[in-house]
Amino acid sequence: MAIMAKDKVQYVCSNCGQESPKWIGKCPACGQWNTFKEIRVADTRQPAAAHAAAVAGHALRQSKPLRLSEISSKDDPRIDLYDAELNRVLGGGLVPGSLVLLGGEPGIGKSTLSLQTALQLTDRRVLYISGEESAHQLKMRAERLMEGQGSRDASALLILCDNSLESIFDHIRDIRPELVIIDSIQTIMTENVDSSAGSIAQVRECASALLRFAKTSGVPVILIGHITKEGTLAGPKILEHIVDTVIQFEGDQHHLYRILRSIKNRFGSTSELGIYEMQQTGLRQVANPSELLLTQDRDGLSGVAISSAIEGARPFLVETQALVASAAYGTPQRQATGFDQRRLNMLLAVLERRVGFKLMQKDVFLNIAGGLRVTDLAMDLSVIAAVLSSNVDTPIDAGWCLCGEVGLSGEVRPVARIEQRIGEAQKLGFTDLILPYHNFQGLDRRRFPNINLHPVRKVEEALRALFG
């Protein structure tokens, strides 16, 4: 009588992907508790990575060590996606053979962005694989997007509705696409793993196989990933380590704007962001976000300050809104939207200790307009100005803009790329800009004839220039 071989049982940490032959309460790699999940892996079948290499036309073989001088440093030309915002976030276009992970909340526009990008690539054969929607649903969405783009040519786009990894590789072998988009990685499953789609083992095995295919064939692959209720990408943390680029689609469904932010990028900067506007006919690129992020009628409004910020290589003006009110309960509230709350607490302490304004018994609410989340330290000066403007109920003149980092002793520290910040403020018609004194030294003021520059060394000087 033949004896059936038992499946191999492993325990994998859902946070970092650490493996263990037995269950452990605390992960020794990342330190998280109760994250080990049981998975079953059948060892008798062909690994998915070997199948992917066979599809790409390459046999599995041992790597050969090479001298550094023998390795070519010539970069392959990037693929233009005909989307300036997406190209910027990717670092100048899509790299051949790269694996890109696009994450975001449900309904934020991940599938719309991917399908819209696929429709624009009329000169390349694109395979769009959907494990969530039917072909009829994709057809209706594509017609709406093509109507918004004014295009009717979609002959190069191929649609496949399947969630079997082996079947997908068979179709790839026959079609030979130049770009593969998978929506989503949590719906794809392989026969080599005895678990349901979306489990830790399935996501890890499918992602590894797709990585092997992308690297051996040179065909770029875009994966769409779900996120958890905590806002992190679903699946094991190893998924983010496997891929070359992780970009996240952010924004609120109740806001018009969507922000595409690079979290990890092996081929470019991780501080770039792209801005889109959600419309009925798809996502529209926002070429000049400064004009859209500023309130047009802000004259006479207290608690509003404008800052010249930079994210990546892009300067734009950000509106900082603050509200200071008497604490209705025993403990004052400190809330920040789009800004680091711990840094807000630090700036409030500086304002109270160094400037002398008592905010101990006041509620302070801070908001970055437009749904943006800004990490630029040059926002410090505008945050303090907005809080003080709301506290004394005195509006800041409409033509004033600020930029500067604030230290713990109340000094205004210099910021990077000051000329780009001044140029953006001047382009939008601002007449006065407060900047750090060290940035003012050595600045060619002849380039900015239409804006008055006010250098300051301390917070008190900036507030005196604003409020007199």
Side-chain angles (χ1 to χ4, degrees):
M1 183 177 64
I3 300 176
M4 298 294 293
K6 291 185 177 180
D7 291 343
K8 182 180 178 182
V9 177
Q10 286 185 340
Y11 293 88
V12 179
C13 175
S14 60
N15 185 56
C16 67
Q18 175 75 17
E19 298 180 358
S20 173
K22 62 180 182 179
W23 186 86
I24 306 176
K26 181 180 180 181
C27 177
C30 63
Q32 297 294 318
W33 287 88
N34 298 324
T35 55
F36 275 88
K37 309 295 182 183
E38 178 182 339
I39 63 172
R40 297 182 182 275
V41 182
D43 294 333
T44 58
R45 302 175 184 174
Q46 182 191 25
H51 192 187
V55 170
H58 294 265
L60 291 173
R61 59 181 181 269
Q62 294 294 329
S63 299
K64 176 185 175 182
L66 298 173
R67 297 181 184 274
L68 186 62
S69 58
E70 298 174 351
I71 302 174
S72 173
S73 59
K74 183 179 179 181
D75 293 334
D76 292 331
R78 293 180 181 247
I79 300 173
D80 185 7
L81 299 177
Y82 304 106
D83 187 325
E85 301 296 306
L86 185 55
N87 283 338
R88 177 188 293 110
V89 174
L90 291 174
L94 188 61
V95 176
S98 62
L99 188 63
V100 178
L101 178 61
L102 172 62
E105 295 181 355
I108 204 68
K110 305 183 299 296
S111 301
T112 300
L113 177 63
S114 302
L115 187 57
Q116 183 173 299
T117 302
L119 290 170
Q120 291 171 346
L121 296 173
T122 56
D123 56 342
R124 293 183 180 271
R125 191 163 54 255
V126 181
L127 177 60
Y128 189 97
I129 302 166
S130 176
E132 299 178 345
E133 296 180 280
S134 65
H136 181 65
Q137 289 175 303
L138 291 172
K139 173 68 172 178
M140 291 190 298
R141 178 183 295 177
E143 288 179 345
R144 187 176 72 248
L145 294 176
M146 285 190 294
E147 183 181 351
Q149 296 174 4
S151 172
R152 289 291 178 184
D153 184 16
S155 57
L157 177 60
L158 299 170
I159 301 294
L160 173 64
C161 297
D162 200 342
N163 58 5
S164 171
L165 185 64
E166 286 74 19
S167 176
I168 289 171
F169 281 138
D170 290 338
H171 287 290
I172 289 176
R173 183 192 296 112
D174 298 334
I175 297 171
R176 297 291 179 182
E178 298 173 83
L179 172 63
V180 177
I181 301 175
I182 295 182
D183 183 10
S184 66
I185 184 61
Q186 279 83 11
T187 61
I188 306 301
M189 59 185 299
T190 174
E191 298 174 357
N192 304 314
V193 178
D194 188 17
S195 60
S196 60
S199 63
I200 298 171
Q202 286 284 3
V203 171
R204 183 180 58 175
E205 185 71 15
C206 292
S208 300
L210 291 166
L211 175 68
R212 186 60 182 257
F213 162 74
K215 297 304 179 186
T216 54
S217 66
V219 177
V221 179
I222 298 177
L223 307 177
I224 296 178
H226 299 160
I227 66 170
T228 62
K229 60 183 180 180
E230 289 83 13
T232 59
L233 285 161
K237 200 70 175 178
I238 195 172
L239 177 62
E240 299 180 45
H241 294 290
I242 288 175
V243 301
D244 297 311
T245 305
V246 180
I247 52 180
Q248 188 134 347
F249 219 19
E250 303 174 354
D252 192 345
Q253 296 185 18
H254 304 290
H255 284 89
L256 291 176
Y257 305 116
R258 304 287 189 267
I259 300 163
L260 192 64
R261 191 183 301 271
S262 175
I263 300 175
K264 169 190 174 182
N265 193 352
R266 289 173 178 161
F267 311 110
S269 172
T270 57
S271 57
E272 294 290 353
L273 59 84
I275 301 179
Y276 294 87
E277 182 182 0
M278 178 61 78
Q279 296 181 343
Q280 184 68 25
T281 55
L283 292 163
R284 185 185 70 85
Q285 304 173 44
V286 178
N288 187 7
S290 297
E291 295 180 351
L292 298 176
L293 295 174
L294 299 179
T295 303
Q296 301 300 323
D297 300 325
R298 59 180 181 274
D299 294 342
L301 299 177
S302 63
V304 177
I306 308 300
S307 176
S308 183
I310 284 184
E311 288 286 333
R314 162 185 264 183
F316 54 91
L317 301 186
V318 181
E319 180 177 312
T320 306
Q321 301 173 346
L323 176 63
V324 179
S326 299
Y329 304 100
T331 304
Q333 300 183 65
R334 304 283 191 265
Q335 294 186 10
T337 303
F339 191 78
D340 188 2
Q341 185 162 342
R342 291 175 296 181
R343 191 157 190 87
L344 172 62
N345 294 332
M346 185 205 79
L347 294 175
L348 294 178
V350 170
L351 190 60
E352 184 165 340
R353 179 70 175 176
R354 303 299 181 186
V355 186
F357 286 91
K358 303 300 181 182
L359 300 171
M360 188 178 301
Q361 301 300 323
K362 299 289 185 70
D363 292 335
V364 179
F365 304 94
L366 186 72
N367 177 51
I368 305 299
L372 279 179
R373 180 171 57 85
V374 184
T375 57
D376 191 0
L377 296 179
M379 294 281 298
D380 290 353
L381 207 54
S382 66
V383 170
I384 285 182
V387 169
L388 186 57
S389 171
S390 177
N391 186 45
V392 298
D393 196 21
T394 301
I396 298 174
D397 292 340
W400 285 74
C401 182
L402 306 93
C403 67
E405 178 187 352
V406 176
L408 291 178
S409 60
E411 80 278 13
V412 179
R413 302 175 60 84
V415 295
R417 299 160 68 180
I418 188 65
E419 293 185 354
Q420 287 183 268
R421 302 175 191 269
I422 301 173
E424 183 72 10
Q426 181 179 254
K427 183 176 68 174
L428 292 179
F430 283 81
T431 58
D432 296 87
L433 185 137
I434 296 177
L435 74 164
Y437 180 81
H438 293 286
N439 285 127
F440 183 74
Q441 293 180 320
L443 187 67
D444 186 6
R445 281 164 278 177
R446 292 174 297 179
R447 295 181 53 192
F448 312 106
N450 300 324
I451 188 169
N452 299 317
L453 302 180
H454 304 268
V456 295
R457 289 186 175 90
K458 293 188 176 183
V459 175
E460 297 96 315
E461 297 177 25
L463 299 180
R464 196 178 301 117
L466 284 174
F467 302 104

